[in-house]
Amino acid sequence: MVRIADDPLHNSISTEALYVPNSDRFPVTNNVDPNELYHYKDSFSCRATRQAGNSSDYFYSNDGLNFHFGVILFDAVLVILMTRIVAFLLRPCKQPKVVSEVIGGIILGPSVLSIDKKFNGAFFSANVKYIIGNIGTMGFMYFLFIIGVKMDLSVIKFSRKKHKMITLAGVIIPLVTGTIVGNIIRPSMDKKLSKPSSIGRVVLAMAVTGYAVIYPILQELNLLSSEIGQMALAIAIITDGIAIILLIISGALKQTDVGVDAALWYMISVIAFMVFSAITLQQAMIWILGKNPEGKLIEQVYVVLILLGALVMSFLTDMLGLGIVTGCMLTGLVIPDGPPLGSSIVARSETFIMNFFMPFSYVYIGMSVDLSAMTSVSWSGLAPLFTLAMSGIVFKLLATLVTSLLVKIPFREALTLTLILNLRGQQEFMLIMHWKEKSVIEIPSYTMLVLLVTAVTAIATPLIRFLYDPTRPYIVNTRRTIQYTPPHEELKVVACVHNQDSVATLINLFEFSCSSRRNLSVYALCLTELNGRAAPLLIDHEEQKMTFNYSGYDSTYNALKIYIETKRDVMEIHSFTAVVPKQTMYQDICKLAMIKEADLVILPFHMEWRDSVRMTELHHQRRTPSVLSNVLDHAPCSVGILVHKVHLLGPLFDHSFNSSPRHVLVLFLGGADAREALCYADRILMNPNVFLTVIRFLSHHHHREYEQEKKLDDGVIISFRERNGRNKRVVCREVVMKNGEETLATIQAFGNDVHFDLWILGRHKGINPVLLKGLSSDWCEHLELGVIGDYISSMDFDGTTSILVVQQQTLRE
């Protein structure tokens, strides 16, 4: 049958014949001889088309949208803008990116904008849809490739028994119950859906939630470092392994239609191909790593070859019946995660894939969503598929929740985990599109499933935000402060470092704190930003021996290790490493402080010495305040921020330090933070080489003093003087201030008169407002340091010294 269709929107010079199989993909044949159409069994649609080439002759009255290339360029802009606009509008609703972009695709599709025939004909003709579909398919392929690169399969080896129990229950129970429900309602299904293979496809899709779906949403929710987030990722990896096995088995069962021998050869060929590919690709990656200079990113040519290799693998897996996206996923899994290879590929390709390819993928999904087609079909035609899909979702919810409770997970966390493991997204959309192309489902059923998957994720994500606070585990009801730690007990400190300079800064402070007896227990945490992998890591180096290729890590860890070896007799030091996203770095810091029952967390606030008089903040440290502020808000103990204004040009640590006198100044402006600072200074006095000066600031005529805070301050000062009244290394003074200007002038005078090696002060809690009168926090460059701390650490302050700004533990409910 030949049908001639005229396009009234454009006057075209060429005609094309489109071969229309049972698919949305149209191989185009130009200038077909009508006498040769009898060679094809299916129908052809002949229509006027846009011209090839470009629209460079626009000023000669040619419309730019009359050319294929011009339309594609315009659609690319339209697709990306639409998905971004919808994401912006849905931001107050706390929706994940996948929901926003799918809705953007639906808006561009026949349900909203393309319902207008002129709009659809101008921007989304059959040829344009064909191109968008192919770009979208490549987007899904490379999306899974990037997820595969980031995935760490070693998580399976270290997964706990409860992870495996939740995984098995969350997959097997929905599979069994879904199959039973499918067979019960089978008589009401249409011919294609009622096939056992079709029922199995739907049930399996609802029973399995993939890593590729969970990871991006957890990343958006900043839950990657949380206990629930890591548990969900471990379960998702195991689930993906089960899904691949079931995929191979289902492929073999299809071959039984031909014969048992065909199924057997299929299994052998698939397994042999996967083993051969894994070994070959792994050897290729080893060869590439051998060619790469140590500490450098992989050369661009190798990245391109790997991306092309992913396409070849997709072609081969599609030939074997494993699906076109499986090859990309398998290629990504073989690539070592993290630097240098994984991080190089992610750094050079992720932005383009996620921000250019993926919007086309979601529009590709939305282009076939037709609400009018769905509403035109009676409910009896959609009810069987809806019941089958919902049964899988509901039974997975129940199975995961009940199993989580049985393995002693608290109800709130169990419900959160259940919702995470029932999130839907990219993998389900790919499967639904595949079913439509294979004519397992029609447009009405396709539309219903896309809306159902989108609704499940749109409802679950805000509930996860509401139910789970990743900082809740750090809430404690007991005092973990320096003030409430008896002087004869060890002070437990979590000290954070992220480069060699920060190690030197902390060593400088520890040398002040060291005494002849062991009174300090330090948990040194090397912080490394997560790059090229998905799962965060927290490693105890006394229990786990691991190597890292992250830039600067070796020098940082080795510097710390050398110091540990030299101080074992006077200080107990344990080393840890956290490889985490910068957004959740504070969670690992608080987690370690919680586990080790620390009394103090010390965070370095780094400065770079540029010359003898000027300093500027490192550009990297513009990110630091977010980590600092989060730790200050959520730490389960007191927090100290250490600023070092002098670049250490000498050795990392000097044994002559112990014999040379060191001068320390405490600025006591009152309040809980100031009391905590004084208590730390009191501990430093155990070092016989430390000389301590304490300056207490009081308001004129005790104006606007908080009576309760004044009593607590007096108690701490009196106790300190009683302990150190005869100590000639201690000087205590009181000064009376009328306003903030006098306070700063007095501090500057002390800085000019005597060189102090270390200044210690409270951050801001409980300071008499008279002492800060006229000093607005608006001009503070670093609010994390408080008003006074920010001034002392600034270029306006002449002293070149180290500053420790202390905040006492804040008890939260």
Side-chain angles (χ1 to χ4, degrees):
M1 179 187 73
V2 178
R3 179 172 61 86
I4 305 298
D6 295 325
D7 186 350
L9 298 176
H10 299 283
N11 295 321
S12 248
I13 15 177
S14 63
T15 307
E16 71 177 3
L18 295 179
Y19 171 47
V20 187
N22 293 322
S23 170
D24 285 342
R25 302 187 179 191
F26 307 103
V28 177
T29 307
N30 289 315
N31 303 320
V32 173
D33 185 351
N35 295 322
E36 298 180 1
L37 292 179
Y38 68 89
H39 290 295
Y40 300 95
K41 296 181 180 179
D42 294 307
S43 63
F44 281 79
S45 175
C46 299
R47 69 189 67 185
T49 64
R50 297 177 176 85
Q51 301 175 41
N54 56 53
S55 54
S56 59
D57 53 350
Y58 173 78
F59 293 102
Y60 292 94
S61 302
N62 279 332
D63 184 1
L65 294 179
N66 197 31
F67 297 84
H68 282 306
F69 188 68
V71 174
I72 292 298
L73 290 179
F74 185 86
D75 283 351
V77 175
L78 186 62
V79 163
I80 295 172
L81 281 180
M82 180 58 71
T83 53
R84 292 294 177 273
I85 290 170
V86 175
F88 175 77
L89 294 176
L90 292 182
R91 187 178 298 172
C93 301
K94 308 295 183 183
Q95 290 300 319
K97 191 175 179 181
V98 61
V99 171
S100 303
E101 297 199 335
V102 166
I103 292 175
I106 293 173
I107 290 174
L108 289 175
S111 297
V112 185
L113 294 179
S114 290
I115 198 171
D116 181 75
K117 292 183 179 179
K118 290 185 178 181
F119 179 88
N120 186 59
F123 302 116
F124 296 106
S125 63
N127 290 333
V128 173
K129 287 181 181 178
Y130 173 73
I131 296 172
I132 289 176
N134 280 280
I135 297 175
T137 301
M138 290 188 66
F140 279 131
M141 290 165 57
Y142 277 122
F143 168 77
L144 289 179
F145 169 75
I146 288 293
I147 294 296
V149 170
K150 292 182 176 183
M151 193 182 295
D152 182 11
L153 295 179
S154 64
V155 172
I156 299 176
K157 183 170 62 176
F158 297 107
S159 60
R160 300 177 185 177
K161 183 179 178 181
K162 63 180 179 181
H163 296 166
K164 297 172 184 176
M165 290 178 62
I166 295 171
T167 303
L168 292 174
V171 174
I172 294 174
I173 293 176
L175 276 177
V176 174
T177 53
T179 303
I180 294 171
V181 171
N183 282 286
I184 292 173
I185 63 174
R186 188 176 179 184
S188 61
M189 296 179 180
D190 59 45
K191 184 178 179 180
K192 294 177 181 177
L193 186 60
S194 62
K195 293 179 179 180
S197 59
S198 299
I199 294 174
R201 286 172 176 173
V202 177
V203 171
L204 180 60
M206 297 301 111
V208 173
T209 300
Y211 191 95
V213 174
I214 292 176
Y215 165 71
I217 297 178
L218 289 179
Q219 188 178 35
E220 290 181 52
L221 296 175
N222 288 330
L223 294 180
L224 288 178
S225 297
S226 66
E227 185 179 355
I228 288 295
Q230 293 186 347
M231 189 183 302
L233 290 178
I235 293 171
I237 290 178
I238 302 172
T239 304
D240 278 345
I242 295 174
I244 291 173
I245 294 171
L246 293 174
L247 177 65
I248 296 173
I249 293 173
S250 65
L253 291 175
K254 289 180 186 177
Q255 300 298 321
T256 56
D257 296 339
V258 180
V260 177
D261 291 344
L264 181 61
W265 279 111
Y266 172 82
M267 290 285 289
I268 294 173
S269 61
V270 167
I271 294 172
F273 169 76
M274 293 180 71
V275 171
F276 174 77
S277 299
I279 294 173
T280 304
L281 289 172
Q282 193 173 39
Q283 292 302 313
M285 299 306 130
I286 293 172
W287 180 80
I288 291 173
L289 289 172
K291 291 285 187 180
N292 189 65
E294 188 174 353
K296 301 292 184 180
L297 288 175
I298 299 298
E299 292 183 17
Q300 186 72 25
V301 62
Y302 296 125
V303 175
V304 173
L305 287 174
I306 291 170
L307 292 174
L308 291 176
L311 296 180
V312 173
M313 281 290 292
S314 295
F315 171 75
L316 295 175
T317 54
D318 193 39
M319 285 180 58
L320 288 170
L322 292 175
I324 197 169
V325 296
T326 308
C328 274
M329 186 75 170
L330 292 175
T331 306
L333 288 173
V334 174
I335 296 171
D337 59 339
L341 194 52
S343 59
S344 297
I345 293 171
V346 171
R348 289 173 171 167
S349 61
E350 185 178 30
T351 299
F352 188 74
I353 291 168
M354 301 304 292
N355 294 289
F356 181 80
F357 274 126
M358 286 307 292
F360 279 96
S361 302
Y362 296 121
V363 170
Y364 178 40
I365 298 296
M367 280 295 163
S368 297
V369 174
D370 192 342
L371 293 175
S372 61
M374 185 182 73
T375 55
S376 65
V377 177
S378 64
W379 173 245
S380 60
L382 299 175
L385 180 59
F386 179 81
T387 304
L388 186 61
M390 281 302 299
S391 66
I393 294 172
V394 171
F395 283 118
K396 184 175 178 65
L397 279 167
L398 294 175
T400 307
L401 179 60
V402 172
T403 309
S404 300
L405 294 173
L406 289 176
V407 295
K408 309 299 183 184
I409 298 177
F411 178 78
R412 196 180 186 98
E413 284 77 7
L415 183 56
T416 304
L417 179 63
T418 300
L419 291 172
I420 292 173
L421 294 177
N422 278 273
L423 291 169
R424 309 288 161 174
Q426 294 86 347
Q427 288 184 204
E428 285 76 20
F429 291 134
M430 284 185 281
L431 288 172
I432 296 169
M433 177 60 74
H434 180 68
W435 299 342
K436 182 182 75 67
E437 292 183 347
K438 295 296 182 182
S439 299
V440 176
I441 56 176
E442 301 299 332
I443 290 295
S445 298
Y446 169 88
T447 301
M448 181 194 67
L449 286 178
V450 170
L451 295 178
L452 177 62
V453 166
T454 306
V456 168
T457 302
I459 294 170
T461 305
L463 287 176
I464 293 168
R465 290 181 186 270
F466 172 76
L467 288 170
Y468 189 71
D469 178 7
T471 65
R472 187 184 300 275
Y474 318 134
I475 299 176
V476 294
N477 297 319
T478 56
R479 287 284 185 183
R480 295 184 180 178
T481 65
I482 307 168
Q483 182 181 353
Y484 292 95
T485 302
H488 62 275
E489 291 186 7
E490 278 190 339
L491 186 68
K492 297 179 180 178
V493 178
V494 171
C496 302
V497 298
H498 74 86
N499 57 28
Q500 192 169 345
D501 284 343
S502 61
V503 175
T505 302
L506 284 167
I507 287 174
N508 196 39
L509 179 66
F510 292 155
E511 291 295 328
F512 279 98
S513 308
C514 280
S515 63
S516 56
R517 63 183 182 87
R518 296 177 67 146
N519 68 333
L520 196 62
S521 181
V522 177
Y523 302 95
L525 179 63
C526 294
L527 297 170
T528 303
E529 188 173 341
L530 187 70
N531 188 11
R533 59 176 292 131
L537 293 173
L538 180 61
I539 296 103
D540 183 348
H541 289 286
E542 294 177 2
E543 297 180 0
Q544 298 168 268
K545 303 297 181 183
M546 298 185 69
T547 58
F548 295 94
N549 294 313
Y550 288 89
S551 176
Y553 172 81
D554 287 340
S555 59
T556 303
Y557 178 69
N558 290 334
L560 186 61
K561 188 177 179 181
I562 293 170
Y563 184 73
I564 290 172
E565 294 298 328
T566 62
K567 292 294 179 180
R568 287 196 181 277
D569 54 336
V570 295
M571 189 187 304
E572 185 180 351
I573 304 181
H574 309 273
S575 59
F576 297 81
T577 294
V579 184
V580 288
K582 62 183 180 182
Q583 298 92 337
T584 60
M585 203 169 276
Y586 76 97
Q587 294 180 16
D588 286 77
I589 297 171
C590 294
K591 183 190 298 182
L592 184 61
M594 185 74 182
I595 293 171
K596 300 303 178 181
E597 298 181 348
D599 305 303
L600 178 67
V601 171
I602 296 179
L603 298 165
F605 193 91
H606 303 287
M607 299 290 181
E608 182 180 28
W609 191 249
R610 294 297 174 90
D611 52 47
S612 58
V613 258
R614 293 183 60 84
M615 70 170 185
T616 58
E617 189 180 8
L618 284 166
H619 72 279
H620 171 78
Q621 300 308 323
R622 292 172 186 171
R623 301 195 301 261
T624 304
S626 63
V627 178
L628 290 176
S629 58
N630 281 322
V631 173
L632 289 168
D633 291 340
H634 303 295
C637 59
S638 297
V639 179
I641 302 174
L642 182 60
V643 183
H644 200 72
K645 295 173 66 176
V646 182
H647 184 67
L648 297 181
L649 299 175
L652 203 56
F653 49 90
D654 189 354
H655 293 290
S656 64
F657 186 102
N658 293 327
S659 59
S660 59
R662 295 289 167 171
H663 297 274
V664 179
L665 175 66
V666 175
L667 301 178
F668 191 94
L669 283 82
D673 294 347
R675 295 192 291 271
E676 192 76 354
L678 182 61
C679 290
Y680 185 77
D682 196 9
R683 279 183 169 267
I684 287 179
L685 279 174
M686 295 181 186
N687 186 334
N689 297 306
V690 169
F691 291 78
L692 180 64
T693 302
V694 179
I695 309 297
R696 185 182 185 185
F697 291 78
L698 298 171
S699 63
H700 188 63
H701 296 312
H702 302 288
H703 181 56
R704 295 185 66 181
E705 285 184 347
Y706 304 121
E707 186 175 348
Q708 184 63 30
E709 291 290 340
K710 178 70 165 50
K711 289 180 180 179
L712 294 173
D713 292 345
D714 290 341
V716 171
I717 291 289
I718 292 171
S719 177
F720 175 79
R721 284 177 170 172
E722 288 176 351
R723 287 193 302 274
N724 300 284
R726 298 182 180 180
N727 192 338
K728 295 182 180 180
R729 294 182 290 112
V730 178
V731 176
C732 293
R733 295 181 57 183
E734 290 186 353
V735 292
V736 178
M737 302 288 110
K738 294 182 179 179
N739 52 49
E741 185 178 352
E742 290 188 3
T743 302
L744 293 185
T746 303
I747 292 172
Q748 183 66 67
F750 279 107
N752 294 335
D753 292 345
V754 182
H755 172 75
F756 291 99
D757 301 289
L758 175 65
W759 293 52
I760 305 177
L761 67 151
R763 183 171 172 244
H764 65 70
K765 198 185 306 177
I767 296 178
N768 189 326
V770 172
L771 303 178
L772 304 178
K773 184 179 179 181
L775 305 180
S776 173
S777 60
D778 295 338
W779 55 263
C780 284
E781 189 176 356
H782 307 295
L783 288 174
E784 295 85 358
L785 301 176
V787 175
I788 302 299
D790 179 71
Y791 170 71
I792 297 174
S793 64
S794 68
M795 292 184 295
D796 298 328
F797 189 73
D798 294 337
T800 56
T801 184
S802 294
I803 305 112
L804 180 64
V805 180
V806 181
Q807 173 184 279
Q808 192 175 70
Q809 175 198 15
T810 303
L811 291 177
R812 296 188 296 140
E813 298 181 358

